Amino acid sequence: MSATPQKNRASRRVLAAAAGLATVGALVAAMPAGAQTQGKGHGHHTPARTVDVQLLSFNDLHGNLEPPAGSAGSVTEKQADGTTKAIPAGGVEYLASSLRAARKGHPYSITAAGGDMVGASPLLSGLFHDEPTIEALNKIDLDVTTVGNHEFDEGATELGRLQNGGCHPVEGCYEQGKTFEGADFPYLAANVTDEKTGKPVLKPYTVWKKDGVKIGFIGVTLEGTPNIVTANGVKGLKFHDEIETVNKYAKELDRQGVKSIVALIHEGGAPASSSYNYDCDSPGAGDGISGPITDIAKGISPKVDALVTGHTHQAYVCTIPDPAGNPRLVTSASSFGKLYTDTTLTYDRRTKDIVRTAVKGSAANPAAVNHIVTRDQAKATDMTDLIARWNTLAAPIASRPQGFISADINGRGSTAPEKPLGNLIADAQLEGLAPADKGGAVVAFMNPGGIRADLVYKATGSEGDGVVTYGESFTVQPFTNMMNVVDLTGAQLVSALQQQVSGSNEASPKILQISKGLSYTLDMTKTGAARVVTDTIRLNGEAIDPAKSYRVAMNEFLAGGGDGFAALGAGTNKLVGPSDLDLFNAYLAAHSTAAAPLAPPVTDRITVIQ
């Protein structure tokens, strides 16, 4: 498979965790059955009463093999004087080096991940259905990961192929004479079951063992996965409550004599500061962490000793009390391989449990720390070789110029409700679908979560500054969602705008990116639907008529009611158009040249009152 020796795959294969677990058809064959993963050996010694087990973790890699470009490729560090500094980070060449260096001197070391290893990936991985990322994770010696929502982007059958190997059913094998071998670490999906059989679609847990030390891992994704993945991706699957599922399997592991348990949960929170080195347990007003993971952590059985989380792309190391009132670590390592968490689990050989009094550690020696994956360290040469190999295959497509820009156009890197790149994408969708024979759209909506990167002015390869390549536009919109144009009433349009800031989106608003011609005011001093000031909504200068029918363009995810937009899911007279990526590239080609590059759009469509 590569110049570096693979670890013995047989040694990583596992005994069945629970006999007779049926799976969705495609997931059955040759599952690495996730119940007994061997530890990596670093020599033997006389067992002491307690053993320090090193847990290295990361989350939300999203196939970012190369260092992410622009603002997506840095982490915020708080300085001693209170100012903050952006530090370039990420890329698997550096992640591999960081993890390998961290493991030195730790005979008991486990590497685990919190989901979304693949999906919404840049072209280098996405073009090959994320096989390059699975290969990189094998080389990095990942021991276990939970599934995230993005592991279901291409459905359960494709997830089964990533686990078990085999060439893509449509595109076949990408390299002459090589068959994709699949992940040699178990993907866990305790709370995802087959609708028909009620059985988990992948192993619910795995047990890591070395020299009598046993640590169980339970993996779950957020229960709300069907709301944020296309309907096809979750067809035939049921997603269950995270707390109930983890508690059920914690009990099962406990009965098997596994007393040390870590939950890998693809759901997260928002710390009060975006700095990776913020003290999440600061006692000040407004300090700490909010979001779904706080309630989940409070509900998970004290049998579970630590929570590795993800999904929100935030960095935090917090202690949240378990139901017995004892402090318990809850960690997350940002995204895109920019950070990793190093946690010390003190294992008691007599009780077979983690010594929870050691959870806090001390100021000089904390129990868990997030570390930056810096780019000033030596690159892992096996990762450099892997990237070069796949880049050679991708180059003919990736390097094709699509258009020209005069400066960075921020999307993912913008924290504003209205993003310059969001406006550009919505305008591209409206322009492509406005002609009568293309759908007759009068307005377009883009979901903010679908914008996965910034358009960066600085060249990423040999194309030259300001050139947007196919690889770069793909990285912005990697889902290649098909576009839909539907009829919505004016009342439904207004409801959709209100759903951005109410219902399931009230606590964490999802502000749609809108095409030119639509404008309104958002008053964030109010609550719920009242935040949308309805009498300010204008389309091409006119108020929205509640009874009138409007042709609205959006991707198939939004047209299916995704992200809590039930009103958008109520459209009728659907016309299916080209993919969002095709429209985006067509717009870049039509509106820019080397001599007249596209400038970042002005953001003046949504007026926000804070």
Side-chain angles (χ1 to χ4, degrees):
M1 281 202 27
S2 70
T4 58
Q6 285 288 302
K7 54 189 171 294
N8 180 351
R9 293 178 65 85
S11 78
R12 299 294 297 284
R13 295 292 169 183
V14 282
L15 305 171
L21 273 180
T23 57
V24 168
L27 303 185
V28 173
M31 185 69 64
Q36 182 173 307
T37 309
Q38 297 301 321
K40 299 173 186 76
H42 293 271
H44 296 271
H45 55 87
T46 308
R49 166 77 190 260
T50 62
V51 176
D52 278 351
V53 177
Q54 179 188 57
L55 174 62
L56 302 175
S57 56
F58 58 98
N59 51 276
D60 295 277
L61 180 64
H62 290 289
N64 278 264
L65 301 178
E66 295 175 293
S71 60
S74 66
V75 293
T76 304
E77 182 177 70
K78 187 180 177 188
Q79 306 299 297
D81 63 1
T83 59
T84 60
K85 180 177 167 188
I87 298 176
V92 294
E93 293 160 298
Y94 305 110
L95 178 62
S97 291
S98 289
L99 294 175
R100 287 165 184 169
R103 288 179 192 136
K104 284 183 177 145
H106 293 275
Y108 297 85
S109 183
I110 310 168
T111 304
D116 277 6
M117 293 296 97
V118 301
S121 306
L123 188 81
L124 178 60
S125 189
L127 188 62
F128 306 106
H129 296 275
D130 285 308
E131 289 181 22
T133 297
I134 298 295
E135 185 186 339
L137 293 171
N138 286 345
K139 289 174 184 291
I140 279 175
D141 285 344
L142 183 63
D143 285 301
V144 57
T145 183
T146 183
V147 293
N149 52 292
H150 283 284
E151 263 83 16
F152 293 94
D153 284 346
E154 295 188 49
T157 305
E158 174 62 5
L159 174 55
R161 188 183 75 87
L162 290 182
Q163 176 74 89
N164 301 319
C167 295
H168 192 270
V170 177
E171 292 169 28
C173 299
Y174 295 113
E175 294 180 287
Q176 194 73 36
K178 278 189 184 175
T179 301
F180 173 59
E181 292 190 24
D184 63 7
F185 50 88
Y187 256 115
L188 305 180
N191 67 330
V192 188
T193 58
D194 181 339
E195 268 181 357
K196 290 200 181 78
T197 67
K199 304 284 190 193
V201 298
L202 287 169
K203 291 299 164 195
Y205 57 81
T206 185
V207 178
W208 181 93
K209 294 183 178 183
K210 185 182 174 193
D211 297 344
V213 174
K214 291 192 290 191
I215 299 183
F217 288 84
I218 302 166
V220 295
T221 184
L222 69 154
E223 186 183 5
T225 291
N227 306 324
I228 52 175
V229 173
T230 55
N232 275 344
V234 294
K235 203 172 178 181
L237 304 176
K238 203 165 163 49
F239 291 77
H240 302 270
D241 180 84
E242 305 93 338
I243 299 172
E244 285 172 21
T245 305
V246 171
N247 290 352
K248 170 186 163 182
Y249 288 110
K251 205 178 280 181
E252 191 170 309
L253 282 166
D254 186 61
R255 279 200 304 269
Q256 292 175 18
V258 179
K259 308 293 182 185
S260 300
I261 302 170
V262 176
L264 307 175
I265 303 177
H266 191 71
E267 178 59 293
S273 163
S274 61
S275 297
Y276 85 95
N277 55 340
Y278 162 68
D279 179 0
C280 198
D281 293 337
S282 301
D287 271 325
I289 185 171
S290 57
I293 200 62
T294 55
D295 288 334
I296 291 172
K298 286 170 187 169
I300 282 178
S301 162
K303 292 184 196 305
V304 175
D305 299 294
L307 277 57
V308 171
T309 73
H311 187 56
T312 56
H313 291 204
Q314 302 294 310
Y316 47 85
V317 172
C318 306
T319 54
I320 299 176
D322 68 15
N326 296 318
R328 179 167 55 192
L329 278 167
V330 179
T331 67
S332 174
S334 183
S335 63
F336 302 167
K338 293 182 288 191
L339 297 176
Y340 70 92
T341 313
D342 189 337
T343 301
T344 303
L345 301 173
T346 303
Y347 181 92
D348 186 322
R349 286 184 180 276
R350 199 170 300 166
T351 63
K352 299 180 182 174
D353 208 349
I354 300 302
V355 182
R356 287 278 290 280
T357 51
V359 159
K360 288 289 281 185
S362 64
N365 191 21
V369 182
N370 272 329
H371 295 287
I372 302 181
V373 175
T374 59
R375 296 187 199 163
D376 56 4
Q377 62 184 310
K379 295 179 181 182
T381 54
D382 56 339
M383 293 295 151
T384 306
D385 294 345
L386 180 148
I387 289 168
R389 213 179 81 233
W390 288 102
N391 260 333
T392 303
L393 291 172
I397 295 170
S399 58
R400 286 203 306 254
Q402 303 298 313
F404 303 86
I405 56 174
S406 62
D408 287 2
I409 304 181
N410 281 352
R412 195 77 184 177
S414 167
T415 54
E418 180 186 351
K419 304 169 195 311
L421 191 48
N423 287 0
L424 182 62
I425 290 168
D427 288 352
Q429 294 177 352
L430 177 61
E431 181 170 296
L433 299 170
D437 61 336
K438 300 283 193 255
V442 295
V443 66
F445 290 130
M446 174 63 190
N447 56 308
I451 306 168
R452 304 304 300 187
D454 303 334
L455 275 188
V456 178
Y457 176 77
K458 190 170 167 44
T460 53
S462 57
E463 74 274 12
D465 291 349
V467 179
V468 179
T469 64
Y470 184 87
E472 289 165 336
S473 61
F474 181 98
T475 298
V476 167
Q477 293 207 97
F479 299 110
T480 52
N481 274 315
M482 301 313 289
M483 290 301 300
N484 290 184
V485 185
V486 299
D487 284 345
L488 288 174
T489 64
Q492 288 168 325
L493 266 184
V494 173
S495 287
L497 293 176
Q498 291 171 331
Q499 284 164 0
Q500 302 174 108
V501 288
S502 63
S504 61
N505 292 330
E506 177 154 11
S508 182
K510 290 193 169 78
I511 306 303
L512 294 164
Q513 305 300 289
I514 54 178
S515 55
K516 61 183 175 213
L518 183 63
S519 62
Y520 67 96
T521 296
L522 205 51
D523 185 350
M524 297 308 286
T525 65
K526 298 196 161 78
T527 57
R531 290 165 163 174
V532 175
V533 186
T534 49
D535 60 9
T536 64
I537 304 172
R538 294 284 180 276
L539 181 58
N540 300 323
E542 293 182 7
I544 299 285
D545 179 346
K548 188 178 163 185
S549 180
Y550 296 85
R551 292 293 281 165
V552 183
M554 65 193 99
N555 60 40
E556 60 190 321
F557 170 67
L558 282 177
D563 269 353
F565 290 103
L568 297 182
T572 56
N573 297 326
K574 178 169 78 175
L575 181 140
V576 178
S579 76
D580 50 9
L581 181 60
D582 286 347
L583 289 182
F584 185 49
N585 284 333
Y587 188 88
L588 290 171
H591 291 270
S592 68
T593 61
L598 201 61
V602 176
T603 50
D604 57 1
R605 299 169 191 182
I606 305 171
T607 303
V608 182
I609 300 167
Q610 294 288 7

